[in-house]
Amino acid sequence: RRDTGPVAMALRLVLLCVPLAASLRSGERLESLASDATGDECDEEALQTHRLLQALGFTGPLNQSHCDLPGISCAWKSCRVETLECATCSGRLPRQIHLKHLKTVSLTSPTLSGDIKSFEGTQLEKLELKGKVFGDIQVFQKMKNLTRLILANSQVTGHLHVLEKLEHLDTLSLADTQVVGHLSSMAGAIRMRLELSGTGVTGNLSDLIGHVRESGASQNMAELMVLKLSRTRV
């Protein structure tokens, strides 16, 4: 007969707690128990998040789980950072961002600085930067999942054609930057918003419309909600 006395119940409780205690002693984090990342990976993700925020001039407290920090969002039941948003981070972009699972970044302080090359190696879906950031937009050439790229009023440079194969890009704002190129480069994908005012872009509207018709994607122009080309040679 199964013993259900208080001593037996206490013994079973101890036996149940031993595996959890052992895992905690081995350095596994509670957040990794429901994650597809290991404890070491979670620790590294937390370390890189804190280092990035410090470089960016984050002024909030850092004495909590990195997934709970203001402006930081992690994947569901994971410690991997997917979103970074900060309107007051006035520091500098680091040489390289090591958060490889980042999907959305919004850094909109007017005094932010640094080279956009820091995003090389990431697979961003949305990026918005303001301030004194610089660098060649070629860094985004291989980001096939990029849907939103806003770098207006920055010091970025480069040629427009490096973005022409980003078929998911529906919002592109490079207004008042040093970007150059031909308008026809932007005819290859649907773009809900295209802002190139104050750039070195050349061409004619017929170049854009003509390429769209030739590709059989006339729907692209129908879905173009905003087109800004003032102060260009278009």
Side-chain angles (χ1 to χ4, degrees):
R1 187 170 63 88
R2 187 177 182 181
D3 191 350
T4 57
V7 175
M9 293 286 288
L11 180 59
R12 282 196 291 273
L13 182 60
V14 169
L15 291 175
L16 286 171
C17 290
V18 167
L20 178 60
S23 69
L24 292 177
R25 284 196 300 270
S26 68
E28 288 183 358
R29 300 166 61 98
L30 279 174
E31 63 183 330
S32 71
L33 297 179
S35 169
D36 55 357
T38 67
D40 288 343
E41 287 174 330
C42 285
D43 290 339
E44 180 65 18
E45 194 82 355
L47 176 63
Q48 295 300 336
T49 301
H50 284 85
R51 285 180 174 175
L52 175 58
L53 289 176
Q54 288 173 339
L56 293 175
F58 178 74
T59 57
L62 293 173
N63 57 347
Q64 54 186 313
S65 170
H66 68 287
C67 290
D68 296 327
L69 292 171
I72 297 291
S73 296
C74 293
W76 173 247
K77 290 187 177 181
S78 175
C79 58
R80 292 170 174 170
V81 176
E82 289 190 340
T83 300
L84 167 60
E85 298 176 331
C86 185
T88 58
C89 290
S90 56
R92 187 178 181 86
L93 294 172
R95 179 173 297 180
Q96 184 177 4
I97 292 177
H98 296 281
L99 299 174
K100 300 302 182 184
H101 303 282
L102 267 180
K103 293 182 178 180
T104 300
V105 174
S106 177
L107 301 170
T108 56
S109 169
T111 53
L112 177 73
S113 63
D115 193 334
I116 57 176
K117 192 176 181 180
S118 62
F119 292 100
E120 189 172 28
T122 63
Q123 286 301 319
L124 293 176
E125 295 179 3
K126 299 178 181 179
L127 176 64
E128 180 176 5
L129 298 177
K130 292 184 178 179
K132 302 175 183 178
V133 295
F134 57 89
D136 196 314
I137 59 173
Q138 187 173 3
V139 70
F140 306 114
Q141 189 172 20
K142 296 182 180 180
M143 296 186 185
K144 303 302 182 182
N145 297 321
L146 199 62
T147 64
R148 181 182 177 90
L149 181 59
I150 299 179
L151 300 171
N153 301 296
S154 66
Q155 299 173 18
V156 299
T157 61
H159 200 287
L160 204 57
H161 76 83
V162 301
L163 305 178
E164 63 184 353
K165 293 184 179 181
L166 300 183
E167 58 184 23
H168 299 296
L169 190 63
D170 59 33
T171 297
L172 177 62
S173 179
L174 297 171
D176 295 301
T177 64
Q178 299 176 47
V179 171
V180 299
H182 199 276
L183 189 60
S184 60
S185 298
M186 295 290 95
I190 295 174
R191 287 178 172 80
M192 298 292 290
R193 189 179 189 94
L194 180 59
E195 298 181 356
L196 299 172
S197 299
T199 64
V201 172
T202 62
N204 299 294
L205 281 178
S206 59
D207 296 317
L208 181 61
I209 298 172
H211 277 71
V212 170
R213 285 176 176 170
E214 289 172 10
S215 67
S218 58
Q219 186 67 19
N220 290 21
M221 287 302 294
E223 296 190 16
L224 187 59
M225 303 296 292
V226 176
L227 178 62
K228 295 184 178 181
L229 297 168
S230 62
R231 294 174 288 115
T232 64
R233 287 180 288 169
V234 176

